[in-house]
Amino acid sequence: MKQQKKLMLGMTILFLITFIFLGTIVVTEKLGPLYKDKIKEKMNDYLTKNYKDEKDNLKFEKITYQAQVYKAKLVNKENPNLYFTMTYKNKKITDTYKKDYLKGNTILRSLEEKIEKRIKKNLNLKTTITFPMTLNKYSEKTKEKIINNDIDNLNIYNIELSINGKLSEDNIENLVNSINTTIININNLNITPNYYKINIINKGKTLTIKNLTNNTLEKQTLLQIINYIIMDNEGTNNILKDNNISYEYRQYGDE
């Protein structure tokens, strides 16, 4: 009998603990959104303390709350694609300022996608655009142009594209003409990459040529480059070495 009472008492205590615990969670989740203004004050203080020089260039977007975590998006007043996230959790604030804002991860990725979509829409050509440097590594003048979305005709990013063509001596001129036409069409969109990476695809085999520039893409120079690569006699000419051009062959399925 005593053992039964002890068991019932234990179950009652366990029930009360569980009830209080779950009730606390429910109350916390219900009241959480009501503290947003208070959390915003804390975030403002954090912003002033850590990023005082940048604060006037930023504005808060709506603070969200979920699972006892508050998140705010701090957006650049000139360009909403330049932003970082501030998180309040367990009475501690963390942020993605360095990665997303200082280094410009959000705005550079946005521009990469924008250029890729413009090429796809106008030329039906799939490309990969890459900014080789982070935002804080560019000059102040260039950084300003990036933030203002004024990068037409700026050689500050790289492009990778693919064309189909037979990799043989009798088809070199056709390959060069195809590449030249593609590059001209891209440039006519005011898209002027710094470096080009071109994949020439033929029957499961791909020739990738890296570090091409507008100069080395001129017809006569490109003819020499592709000729020496395909004929495998680049050692008799310094055109690849002098222009820091590299290449590799890959079969489909290669890593």
Side-chain angles (χ1 to χ4, degrees), residues 91-147:
K91 298 182 179 181
K92 182 181 178 181
I93 296 177
T94 57
D95 67 71
T96 62
Y97 175 86
K98 185 176 181 180
K99 178 189 72 169
D100 289 334
Y101 196 88
L102 180 65
K103 294 185 176 182
N105 181 63
T106 57
I107 191 172
L108 295 180
R109 186 58 201 139
S110 172
L111 287 171
E112 288 168 354
E113 292 175 352
K114 181 180 177 181
I115 297 170
E116 290 168 359
K117 287 178 181 177
R118 197 195 319 176
I119 295 173
K120 180 67 176 177
K121 178 181 178 181
N122 289 277
L123 305 178
N124 194 30
L125 178 66
K126 183 178 179 181
T127 58
T128 300
I129 301 295
T130 307
F131 282 81
M133 299 194 302
T134 55
L135 184 63
N136 57 315
K137 297 296 184 181
Y138 290 101
S139 68
E140 287 301 317
K141 184 177 180 180
T142 300
K143 190 190 302 183
E144 183 179 346
K145 285 182 173 292
I146 290 173
I147 293 174

Side-chain angles (χ1 to χ4, degrees), residues 40-160:
K40 186 175 181 180
E41 287 181 19
K42 292 179 181 292
M43 288 181 169
N44 253 319
D45 291 341
Y46 176 92
L47 192 63
T48 301
K49 180 180 178 180
N50 293 278
Y51 309 118
K52 182 179 178 180
D53 294 340
E54 193 64 41
K55 184 176 179 181
D56 290 342
N57 298 322
L58 296 165
K59 62 180 179 180
F60 275 88
E61 288 202 343
K62 184 178 180 182
I63 296 177
T64 61
Y65 175 82
Q66 186 175 10
Q68 302 180 52
V69 177
Y70 297 85
K71 287 190 177 183
K73 192 175 178 182
L74 281 296
V75 177
N76 181 275
K77 292 178 181 178
E78 300 296 324
N79 192 323
N81 290 318
L82 178 58
Y83 62 87
F84 68 99
T85 302
M86 196 179 290
T87 302
Y88 181 89
K89 180 180 180 182
N90 298 329
K91 298 182 179 181
K92 182 181 178 181
I93 296 177
T94 57
D95 67 71
T96 62
Y97 175 86
K98 185 176 181 180
K99 178 189 72 169
D100 289 334
Y101 196 88
L102 180 65
K103 294 185 176 182
N105 181 63
T106 57
I107 191 172
L108 295 180
R109 186 58 201 139
S110 172
L111 287 171
E112 288 168 354
E113 292 175 352
K114 181 180 177 181
I115 297 170
E116 290 168 359
K117 287 178 181 177
R118 197 195 319 176
I119 295 173
K120 180 67 176 177
K121 178 181 178 181
N122 289 277
L123 305 178
N124 194 30
L125 178 66
K126 183 178 179 181
T127 58
T128 300
I129 301 295
T130 307
F131 282 81
M133 299 194 302
T134 55
L135 184 63
N136 57 315
K137 297 296 184 181
Y138 290 101
S139 68
E140 287 301 317
K141 184 177 180 180
T142 300
K143 190 190 302 183
E144 183 179 346
K145 285 182 173 292
I146 290 173
I147 293 174
N148 291 329
N149 286 331
D150 183 23
I151 65 169
D152 281 357
N153 298 314
L154 281 185
N155 309 109
I156 59 173
Y157 49 85
N158 304 329
I159 187 171
E160 179 178 356

Side-chain angles (χ1 to χ4, degrees), residues 28-44:
T28 301
E29 288 300 312
K30 292 290 184 181
L31 295 179
L34 301 179
Y35 291 106
K36 285 183 180 179
D37 289 342
K38 189 67 176 177
I39 299 303
K40 186 175 181 180
E41 287 181 19
K42 292 179 181 292
M43 288 181 169
N44 253 319

